[in-house]
Amino acid sequence: MSSTKKTSYRALSGAEAAAEAMRQINPEVVAVYPITPQTPIIETFARFVANGKVDTSLINAESEHSAMSAVVGASAAGVRAMTATSSQGLAYMAEVCYIASGLRLPIVMAVVNRALSAPLNIHGDQSDAMMLRDSGWIQLFSENAQEVYDNTLIALRLAENKKVLAPAMVMQDGFTTSHAVQNVLTLSDEKVKKFIGEYKPLYPLLDIRHPVTYGALDLFDYYFEHKRQQVEAMENALKVLKLIDREFFSVSGREYSFVEEYRLKDADIAIALMGATAGTAKTVVDKLRNKRIKAGLLKIRLFRPFPAEIIKRALSRVKKLAILDKAIAPGARAAIANEIRAIFAGEKNAPKIQDYIYGLGGRDIGPDDIGKVYKDLAKAKRIGELKKVRYIGLRARSSH
Amino acid sequence: MNNMFEIRIHSRGGQGAKTIGQILAEAAIEDGKFTEAFAEYGPERSGAPMQVFVRVSDKPILVHSNVKNPDIVILADSSLLGLVDVLGGLKSNGAIIINTAKNPDEIKSLIKAKKAQKIYSLDATKIAVETLGKDFSGIALMGALNKITGIVSKAALEEELEEIFSRKKGKEVAERNILAFRKGYESIVL
């Protein structure tokens, strides 16, 4: 870049960071359909294609259902294939997402989280990802554009590992991350090439000397066993990701684990959440710590497979915990709350837990809102004082 | 959050506010700083009120919510006065930069600023029309901002203007944008 530059940081939005990782991965096939707020990913990537920066065949599909179908076909054929979407696009892909995971195709998809209709809303929440939490896809959540970039490269390695062979979604918050220009460090093309390695598909459909069938009928005789194998794949993913994270650290100097424990070790009160709000919460934790209040944060990066053991250990000393979900489950507890509460079911020394819903449809959540959550926690003396669920920044009487 | 400088821009879609955010962010990084720039979109359409937020800091920026207590507010379109709360949350020693053809005294009577809050005004639209041929007033406002606070260096901003507009629209357009930037800079008397 320019000569006066004082750092190696680049100014990239979350969407551009995803596209940059895709450029360096240089997949043989990318099939997409535009949708806000995913669109800048594919706009940026399409420019790379047009300018000859990648060798990718870019397929502008007529819908997300077709985009995912094309990527499934390409991946089964034996090449790296990627896509990107948001919200309604992911909903429209859902049917084919289960096919991708059931066929054990290591597709990596950038998901820019956005609220689901209706009411119509283009802004960020995590309902779309939660809709597919049981689809057999790996789900990694990113706090900022840097993590989007890093997670995309790591996800590719994880998905393609032959003990795993599961597709992966790399999440970022719609607008909050996708459209925010931030400082991002990228690796050189050579380093990325070396880190991801050459793709060697195990059972390529187009290897006609070793014929295979994808998508065969699988009734009560074997379907059950095949679904059980997906469980095994996810269990393996926990072991494999640990190794890939370590390798990524040696390449980049950036250290990742399944969850980030921010000032959590001696915390009495803590928040658990995932995505961009983790960053905002860290600033609140720092402020509280300056006032000698023992506050901490658990940021969940890996939601599928759910790293229950690690989370249990991380939260075992916390006295009071707020679980913040950016998705709603009418008639039931929200997703993260469900998972974490299940870990502590029947445990004597479990933290007292308060569920919260926040940020639906992109409702802004700032340090003051998060400060209030910690205050609620600090105040609550008995579990009876904790409400079933609280809503952050919600209007009118139902907020408490 | 020490040393964090926060800017909020009130604008209408199509006036260049998002471009200022992008340029400020890129120039801040050129300067070796940390930054975050983003827009709050309603329905994305030309002429609709919108906000752009920019943070600049010496340390990594962790907070990702909207800017609530800016150091500087830029009002890129004075027709928004009375429609949006332009002074909302502005730091008690903060400043507001207004794009208007009205004289500074008249503007001061319209804006109920606190004692220590400074009000600056310039006719950025006129500068934009003269230099760029359209109401893309953001660039002149960025010049004014740079005169008032050197949080991002003039050299880095001009370099980014050169780079971004040369790449997108050619060298001549880049030069005219730098001229708009300088005119905005010069129109502020501290």
Side-chain angles (χ1 to χ4, degrees):
Chain A
M1 300 269 280
S2 70
S3 54
T4 57
K5 197 141 181 150
K6 289 172 189 152
T7 72
S8 41
Y9 281 107
R10 298 170 63 184
L12 295 178
S13 65
E16 288 168 334
E20 178 64 0
M22 287 169 73
R23 180 189 68 74
Q24 293 180 311
I25 291 167
N26 195 9
E28 276 79 359
V29 171
V30 167
V32 282
Y33 189 81
I35 181 167
T36 301
Q38 174 279 123
T39 308
I41 297 182
I42 198 53
E43 270 175 1
T44 309
F45 190 78
R47 209 173 302 128
F48 293 145
V49 175
N51 293 340
K53 306 277 186 205
V54 287
D55 310 307
T56 307
S57 297
L58 180 64
I59 303 168
N60 288 303
E62 76 273 23
S63 73
E64 286 87 356
H65 189 283
S66 304
M68 183 51 76
S69 299
V71 168
V72 162
S75 184
V79 298
R80 278 185 172 135
M82 298 181 78
T83 185
T85 197
S86 293
S87 180
Q88 305 307 113
L90 190 63
Y92 198 18
M93 277 181 183
E95 177 188 357
V96 195
C97 285
Y98 274 76
I99 295 172
S101 59
L103 295 181
R104 308 295 298 275
L105 300 172
I107 295 159
V108 174
M109 167 159 63
V111 178
V112 183
N113 295 131
R114 165 185 152 179
L116 287 163
S117 275
L120 179 59
N121 182 299
I122 58 167
H123 290 282
D125 72 35
Q126 294 165 351
S127 323
D128 52 1
M130 293 303 102
M131 173 180 59
L132 285 179
R133 67 186 192 268
D134 298 331
S135 64
W137 282 61
I138 292 158
Q139 294 191 323
L140 286 164
F141 284 79
S142 316
E143 180 185 323
N144 51 35
Q146 181 70 64
E147 292 190 6
V148 169
Y149 173 80
D150 294 343
N151 278 335
T152 305
L153 300 176
I154 291 167
L156 186 87
R157 281 285 304 276
L158 181 59
E160 289 177 358
N161 185 286
K162 61 175 190 257
K163 289 191 175 131
V164 178
L165 288 180
M169 298 178 196
V170 177
M171 252 62 83
Q172 59 178 297
D173 286 51
F175 289 101
T176 309
T177 303
S178 64
H179 286 58
V181 182
Q182 301 173 352
N183 295 56
V184 178
L185 291 169
T186 55
L187 299 170
S188 69
D189 290 1
E190 295 71 40
K191 269 193 182 171
V192 171
K193 210 172 162 189
K194 206 172 154 217
F195 175 73
I196 63 171
E198 198 187 322
Y199 182 50
K200 296 189 192 93
L202 271 184
Y203 308 107
L205 195 57
L206 292 184
D207 180 1
I208 51 172
R209 277 167 302 177
H210 303 95
V212 289
T213 299
Y214 276 86
L217 190 64
D218 192 8
L219 300 178
F220 39 69
D221 46 2
Y222 279 109
Y223 181 89
F224 204 165
E225 282 75 17
H226 285 139
K227 294 319 274 186
R228 165 75 184 92
Q229 285 176 357
Q230 284 182 252
V231 174
E232 222 162 279
M234 285 294 194
E235 281 163 6
N236 292 342
L238 288 173
K239 292 174 202 138
V240 173
L241 179 57
K242 211 171 184 178
L243 301 176
I244 298 171
D245 280 342
R246 206 174 296 161
E247 193 184 326
F248 187 78
F249 173 65
S250 72
V251 174
S252 67
R254 292 188 290 277
E255 200 168 9
Y256 290 102
S257 44
F258 303 164
V259 297
E260 183 182 345
E261 297 171 41
Y262 191 78
R263 308 186 85 163
L264 198 57
K265 215 166 223 167
D266 63 338
D268 293 330
I269 51 175
I271 286 178
L273 52 66
M274 51 196 190
T277 307
T280 309
K282 285 175 189 172
T283 67
V284 179
V285 169
D286 289 347
K287 269 191 189 162
L288 293 172
R289 286 282 176 170
N290 287 342
K291 291 186 206 160
R292 302 194 172 188
I293 295 167
K294 288 185 172 175
L297 172 76
L298 179 85
K299 178 181 89 184
I300 300 166
R301 167 188 175 231
L302 181 69
F303 186 70
R304 283 293 183 270
F306 191 72
E309 283 307 310
I310 298 234
I311 290 179
K312 186 174 185 180
R313 209 176 313 141
L315 295 174
S316 60
R317 288 175 185 206
V318 170
K319 295 195 178 83
K320 285 174 276 184
L321 173 70
I323 303 172
L324 272 61
D325 271 280
K326 205 177 183 179
I328 201 163
R333 285 194 194 281
I336 310 173
N338 242 335
E339 299 289 359
I340 296 182
R341 282 176 175 275
I343 298 175
F344 288 108
E347 295 277 333
K348 251 193 205 147
N349 295 320
K352 310 269 183 280
I353 299 174
Q354 169 69 62
D355 303 354
Y356 286 84
I357 305 286
Y358 75 100
L360 297 191
R363 176 71 49 89
D364 189 40
I365 176 165
D368 293 348
D369 302 306
I370 293 167
K372 199 176 168 301
V373 171
Y374 281 112
K375 214 172 158 188
D376 284 352
L377 285 183
K379 265 196 329 210
K381 292 276 184 295
R382 283 182 300 276
I383 192 161
E385 291 174 36
L386 300 172
K387 300 265 165 50
K388 191 179 172 199
V389 60
R390 286 180 170 165
Y391 300 92
I392 301 171
L394 184 74
R395 280 199 198 89
R397 62 188 173 89
S398 46
S399 62
H400 280 273
Chain B
M1 286 212 282
N2 297 334
N3 308 322
M4 177 111 82
F5 193 89
E6 297 181 299
I7 301 164
R8 185 175 71 213
I9 306 167
H10 295 282
S11 178
R12 291 184 186 274
Q15 293 174 329
K18 197 177 159 248
T19 307
I20 321 182
Q22 176 87 26
I23 293 170
L24 281 168
E26 298 213 11
I29 290 178
E30 287 275 324
D31 277 344
K33 294 191 170 161
F34 290 89
T35 188
E36 176 167 69
F38 60 105
E40 187 185 66
Y41 296 85
E44 292 160 286
R45 60 192 196 271
S46 240
M50 65 174 301
Q51 296 183 82
V52 171
F53 307 108
V54 183
R55 294 188 169 96
V56 179
S57 174
D58 295 326
K59 292 182 191 150
I61 292 168
L62 297 173
V63 63
H64 300 304
S65 51
N66 293 351
V67 169
K68 291 268 167 64
N69 301 110
D71 296 271
I72 287 196
V73 168
I74 298 176
L75 181 58
D77 189 321
S78 56
S79 73
L80 291 169
L81 261 181
L83 294 177
V84 295
D85 184 10
V86 288
L87 287 175
L90 178 65
K91 288 201 176 120
S92 56
N93 60 348
I96 175 163
I97 304 171
I98 302 170
N99 173 22
T100 177
K102 293 191 170 84
N103 74 53
D105 291 334
E106 199 179 333
I107 272 297
K108 271 175 194 160
S109 69
L110 288 171
I111 302 236
K112 310 237 168 319
K114 287 180 191 144
K115 217 171 181 185
Q117 290 174 336
K118 292 196 180 73
I119 301 171
Y120 300 96
S121 62
L122 69 153
D123 196 345
T125 299
K126 189 169 168 234
I127 295 173
V129 170
E130 280 172 8
T131 53
L132 307 170
K134 58 176 176 180
D135 179 15
F136 197 70
S137 53
I139 305 301
L141 288 165
M142 200 171 71
L145 172 76
N146 185 233
K147 179 76 175 273
I148 294 159
T149 167
I151 187 75
V152 179
S153 75
K154 195 168 184 236
L157 286 169
E158 291 195 356
E159 197 174 313
E160 280 308 321
L161 280 169
E162 165 87 42
E163 200 175 305
I164 286 175
F165 285 103
S166 293
R167 192 173 63 220
K168 283 187 179 169
K169 309 254 164 107
K171 204 160 173 51
E172 204 245 324
V173 176
E175 275 167 17
R176 282 194 272 138
N177 274 282
I178 290 173
L179 184 64
F181 173 80
R182 287 183 181 164
K183 284 195 169 192
Y185 184 95
E186 283 152 17
S187 60
I188 295 294
V189 182
L190 294 177

